[in-house]
């Protein structure tokens, strides 16, 4: 009788969660932990991520939408009430304000009586991918790298089990990165961070191995799970090589490639959303099947994330998917299943060679920061994304239920769309604002101002900013106050959009759809007596997911529009001012955060007050059907959601709306000459 094989310990199982208020999120976390979740993954709302208090003008409509608002140490205290932080592994998806949130977390842990040296968890803290893909950056690259460096130096000395940075290639893939680009740009970011720590002098050379050991990665796993699995094997080999050769780390344990994963939310579809379940399973297999490149933590999206905010039951379903694989299957009883596979080895080597070539190119530019500032990286991602979208539109890349096999039976999952997703109570924002006002009234204002003054003084030197940040947390400073104090010293940054440098992704072949749209654009401009049709693409509020807006801008440019695109994070007032100044023919708004119900009507009202007529407003984003109808009733000309995958078709619809608003007859192509 053979002895049963020893099973490996399962990976950490997380659910990315947080919404409405700190107290609501605390209740959700407790329920998730009770269901068997083994780590927390905190989603913060956009004002918290971008350094604004909930009552700032840019925060309107965004409070508690895509995560939990944390404005001060009192909110953090409520968020983790009854959850022992010394025994909880907490991942916090936070970047520009990562130092601030870690300070709040440490102070709450101290209040619980925890030994902060025992705290385990991760702050994402990768600002480079924010410039490239997600848009929650605040400060310029130099000061941002300084904040990261200070955090790493502080945690190595004081919170040695904490991962102070999560090099995040996840959003690079969502922004269009190929597997080679995802590996290369993430590794370039890691090199830039490690070089900065080494050169800062804050960590002795003999302790660089400890720094390397706490660097973790956060990756994306798409549905091409063989390629994605090989990508992770290539990642692990490259990290082993870089840390050994560039930084001289001799301890194999310190060189281990440590990563967590969120499988690809971008690939989830609004059409036939039940198909998302099998997509999620396949994507999870990519990062669990290969033991030698297995994720240390996994969080899965819910089947309905392309429709809106998942409910607790939806998140439970995704957690159970992980648990079935880990506890019911025999996966964890075996070594690596792919060692010796010629196919896997060849694909891994191909990805590794491509990544090393791209890394060399970036390093020749001076590293990842110059490559960001020049727009090189962003243009590459926009171009890759445009190429991928073109393959989907042509049918070369097949998406089940979207561009093929779209005949379907009615789904009981979406029979009532209003209850198929979670809706944040609009009243919760008002409760957050009231609580914030009460917090300010109840604190020691003199202590707050003293702490902020010290923070600004330290920021003007090269001293570590973490002690001054902790002092601000203890004094009752708010998130916006901390961030604006540093804005005064560091300034703010608007990253390159990458739109201008993106090549044409779809050729305007004679008789093709783009050629027809180009003809309609030219004819409409001539009839209106303008040189070109002008389209303003605007991103109101704090939603920084600009991929869709960028693809609309690029395709509209290729169709003959003059495109006005100023990037992310604009107020409705700024968007209307640009529309008036540029005398545009259409305003296109992109919002994925759920703030459309607040921000779009505001833009409509301001356009009306400015006397702008005959300018249709279109909206795109993750917009529930009921909200879409309400927006149209308020005056929006058209609403586009993820099911509308044909970008050229969308551009054609924009032309139609411009003609309708200007009382022009519907455009029809001129007849072609008959041929024998």
């Amino acid at each position: 009788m053979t002895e049963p094989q020893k099973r490996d310990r399962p990976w950490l199982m997380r659910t990315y969660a947080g919404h409405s208020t700190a107290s609501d999120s605390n209740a959700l976390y407790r329920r998730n932990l009770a269901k068997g979740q083994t780590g927390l993954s905190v989603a913060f709302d956009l004002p918290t991520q971008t350094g604004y208090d909930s009552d700032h003008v840019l925060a309107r409509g965004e409070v508690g939408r895509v995560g939990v608002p944390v404005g001060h140490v009192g909110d953090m205290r409520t968020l983790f009430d009854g959850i022992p932080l010394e025994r909880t592994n907490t991942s916090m998806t936070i970047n520009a304000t990562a130092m601030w949130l870690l300070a709040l977390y440490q102070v709450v842990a101290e209040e619980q009586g925890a030994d902060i040296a025992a705290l385990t968890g991760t702050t994402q803290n990768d600002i480079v991918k924010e410039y490239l893909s997600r848009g929650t950056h605040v400060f310029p690259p130099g000061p941002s790298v300084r904040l990261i460096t200070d955090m790493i130096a502080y945690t190595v000395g004081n919170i040695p089990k904490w991962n102070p940075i999560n090099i995040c290639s996840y959003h690079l893939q969502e922004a269009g990165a190929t597997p080679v680009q995802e590996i290369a740009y993430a590794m370039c970011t890691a090199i830039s961070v490690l070089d900065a720590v080494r050169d800062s002098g804050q960590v002795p050379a003999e302790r660089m191995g400890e720094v390397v050991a706490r660097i973790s990665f956060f990756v994306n796993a798409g549905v091409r799970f063989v390629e994605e699995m090989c990508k992770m094997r290539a990642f692990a080999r490259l990290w082993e090589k870089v840390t050994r050769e560039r930084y001289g780390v001799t301890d194999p344990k310190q060189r281990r490639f440590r990563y967590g994963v969120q499988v690809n939310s971008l690939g989830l579809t609004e059409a036939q959303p039940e198909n998302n379940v099998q997509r999620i399973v396949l994507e999870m297999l990519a990062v669990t099947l290969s033991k030698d490149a297995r994720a240390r933590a996994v969080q899965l999206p819910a089947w309905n994330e392309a429709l809106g905010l998942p409910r607790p039951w939806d998140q439970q379903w995704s957690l159970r998917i992980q648990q079935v694989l880990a506890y019911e299957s025999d996966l964890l009883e075996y070594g690596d299943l792919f060692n010796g596979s010629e196919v896997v080895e060849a694909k891994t080597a191909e990805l590794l060679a491509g990544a090393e070539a791209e890394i060399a190119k970036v390093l020749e530019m001076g590293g990842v920061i110059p490559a960001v500032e020049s727009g090189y990286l962003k243009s590459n991602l926009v171009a890759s994304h445009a190429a991928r979208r073109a393959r989907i539109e042509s049918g070369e890349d097949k998406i089940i239920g979207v561009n093929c096999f779209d005949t379907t039976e009615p789904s009981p999952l979406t029979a009532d769309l209003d209850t198929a997703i979670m809706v944040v109570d609009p009243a919760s924002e008002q409760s957050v604002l009231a609580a914030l006002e009460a917090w300010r009234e109840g604190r020691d204002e003199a202590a707050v101002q003293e702490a902020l003054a010290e923070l600004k003084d330290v920021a003007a030197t090269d001293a570590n900013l973490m002690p001054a940040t902790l002092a601000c947390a203890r004094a009752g400073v708010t998130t916006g106050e901390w961030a604006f104090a540093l804005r005064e010293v560091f300034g703010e940054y608007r990253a390159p959009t990458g739109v201008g440098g993106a090549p044409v992704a779809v050729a305007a072949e004679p008789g093709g759809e783009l050629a027809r749209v180009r003809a309609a654009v030219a004819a409409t401009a001539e009839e209106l007596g303008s040189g070109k049709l002008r389209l303003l693409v605007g991103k109101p509020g704090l939603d920084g997911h600009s991929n869709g807006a960028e693809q609309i801008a690029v395709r509209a440019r290729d169709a003959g529009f003059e495109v006005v695109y100023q990037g992310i994070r604009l107020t409705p007032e700024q968007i209307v001012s640009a529309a008036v100044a540029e005398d545009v023919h259409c305003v296109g708004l992109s919002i994925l955060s759920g703030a459309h119900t607040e921000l779009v009507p505001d833009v409509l009202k301001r356009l009306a007050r400015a006397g702008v007529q005959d300018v249709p407003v279109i909206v795109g984003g993750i917009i529930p059907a009921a909200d879409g109808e309400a927006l149209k009733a308020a005056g929006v000309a058209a609403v586009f959601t993820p099911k509308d995958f044909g970008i050229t078709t969308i551009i054609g619809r924009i032309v139609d709306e411009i003609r309708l608003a200007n009382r022009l007859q519907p455009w029809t192509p001129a007849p072609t000459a008959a041929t024998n």
Side-chain angles (χ1 to χ4, degrees), residues 45-60 62-63 69-72 97 100 135-138 432 436 440 478-484 487 492-494 541-542 568-571 574:
D45 73 354
L46 289 174
T48 304
Q49 293 185 50
T50 50
Y52 295 101
D53 284 332
S54 297
D55 57 358
H56 191 277
V57 61
L58 275 170
R60 189 161 70 94
E62 307 278 18
V63 178
V70 175
H72 45 74
T97 55
W100 174 243
T136 66
H137 52 79
V138 176
V432 171
L436 177 61
R440 290 194 186 114
T478 66
T479 297
E481 290 166 342
W482 178 85
F484 271 93
R487 282 180 171 100
E492 288 194 71
Y493 186 69
R494 294 192 72 80
L542 297 176
I568 61 172
R569 216 177 298 169
L570 301 171
T571 64
Q574 289 171 319

Side-chain angles (χ1 to χ4, degrees), residues 275-307:
N275 296 336
N276 294 331
V277 176
Q278 50 265 36
R279 292 185 179 108
I280 290 167
V281 171
L282 287 171
E283 291 163 352
M284 176 182 62
L285 292 177
V287 294
T288 53
L289 284 180
S290 175
K291 179 179 178 179
D292 292 348
R294 182 172 293 152
R296 292 169 63 93
V298 177
Q299 59 189 45
L300 304 182
W303 68 276
N304 57 350
E305 286 195 16
L307 304 176

Side-chain angles (χ1 to χ4, degrees), residues 17-32 40 42-45 63-64 67-83 312 422 424-425 427-433 435-436:
H19 63 84
S20 302
T21 66
S23 59
D24 289 341
S25 298
N26 172 260
L28 177 62
Y29 296 163
R30 291 195 194 197
R31 291 199 304 271
N32 286 347
L40 291 178
V42 181
F44 295 99
D45 73 354
V63 178
V68 57
V70 175
H72 45 74
V73 71
D75 286 339
M76 189 67 89
R77 196 179 289 139
T78 300
L79 187 64
F80 292 105
D81 182 42
I83 300 174
M422 179 176 166
V424 174
D425 184 356
S428 68
E429 180 169 339
Q430 295 306 314
S431 71
V432 171
L433 298 183
L436 177 61

Side-chain angles (χ1 to χ4, degrees), residues 73 76 92 97-110 123 151 154 159 466 468-474 482:
V73 71
M76 189 67 89
M92 296 191 281
T97 55
M99 178 179 284
W100 174 243
L101 272 296
L102 178 59
L104 296 179
Y105 189 87
Q106 177 181 322
V107 170
V108 170
E110 290 170 344
T123 33
M151 276 186 68
Y154 176 81
I159 318 179
M466 194 68 189
T469 296
L470 283 162
C472 285
R474 296 185 178 107
W482 178 85

Side-chain angles (χ1 to χ4, degrees), residues 88-345:
T88 304
N89 190 300
T90 304
S91 172
M92 296 191 281
T93 300
I94 198 76
N95 297 282
T97 55
M99 178 179 284
W100 174 243
L101 272 296
L102 178 59
L104 296 179
Y105 189 87
Q106 177 181 322
V107 170
V108 170
E110 290 170 344
E111 292 175 352
Q112 291 184 355
D115 174 7
I116 66 165
L119 295 179
T120 58
T122 303
T123 33
Q124 191 172 100
N125 206 15
D126 176 0
I127 205 64
V128 170
K129 58 88 180 174
E130 296 300 325
Y131 298 137
L132 297 175
S133 57
R134 192 164 165 270
T136 66
H137 52 79
V138 176
F139 312 112
S144 294
V145 172
R146 185 255 180 103
L147 286 167
I148 295 168
T149 301
D150 285 357
M151 276 186 68
I152 292 173
Y154 176 81
T155 54
V156 165
N158 297 276
I159 318 179
K161 295 182 179 180
W162 192 267
N163 302 322
I165 186 170
N166 208 218
I167 307 296
C168 182
S169 70
Y170 175 86
H171 298 95
L172 299 182
Q173 186 182 121
E174 289 205 334
T178 64
V180 164
Q181 290 172 328
E182 187 179 345
I183 297 168
Y185 299 160
M187 202 59 64
C188 286
T189 298
I191 289 170
S192 176
V193 167
L194 287 172
D195 283 358
V197 173
R198 179 193 62 197
D199 298 343
S200 74
Q202 294 193 67
V203 178
E206 64 272 15
R207 299 192 68 181
M208 277 301 292
E210 297 174 51
V211 174
V212 168
R214 300 322 305 176
I215 302 292
S216 63
F217 289 75
F218 187 70
V219 305
N220 200 330
V223 76
R224 292 171 57 84
F225 77 97
V226 175
E227 184 175 57
E228 293 292 327
M229 185 267 291
C230 292
K231 178 186 76 179
M232 299 321 307
R233 291 170 73 93
F235 244 136
R237 290 184 192 178
L238 186 55
W239 183 242
E240 163 80 13
K241 181 179 179 181
V242 167
T243 54
R244 185 182 67 252
E245 295 181 0
R246 189 178 182 96
Y247 302 105
V249 179
T250 57
D251 186 343
K253 290 183 179 179
Q254 293 179 330
R255 294 198 307 264
R256 189 186 316 160
F257 183 69
R258 302 159 58 253
Y259 78 98
V261 65
Q262 158 94 15
V263 307
N264 188 11
S265 293
L266 182 69
L268 304 183
T269 63
E270 180 183 3
Q272 298 181 26
E274 62 275 10
N275 296 336
N276 294 331
V277 176
Q278 50 265 36
R279 292 185 179 108
I280 290 167
V281 171
L282 287 171
E283 291 163 352
M284 176 182 62
L285 292 177
V287 294
T288 53
L289 284 180
S290 175
K291 179 179 178 179
D292 292 348
R294 182 172 293 152
R296 292 169 63 93
V298 177
Q299 59 189 45
L300 304 182
W303 68 276
N304 57 350
E305 286 195 16
L307 304 176
L309 189 65
R311 301 158 299 185
W313 183 86
D314 306 315
Q315 294 183 329
Q316 175 183 299
W317 191 357
S318 290
L319 175 62
R320 296 293 185 246
I321 290 172
Q322 293 199 61
Q323 290 169 330
V324 167
L325 178 65
Y327 298 110
E328 292 190 25
S329 86
D330 58 351
L331 174 66
L332 298 180
E333 296 173 9
Y334 296 93
D336 197 289
L337 306 179
F338 301 98
N339 286 343
S341 166
E342 293 181 3
V343 171
V344 169
E345 190 58 36

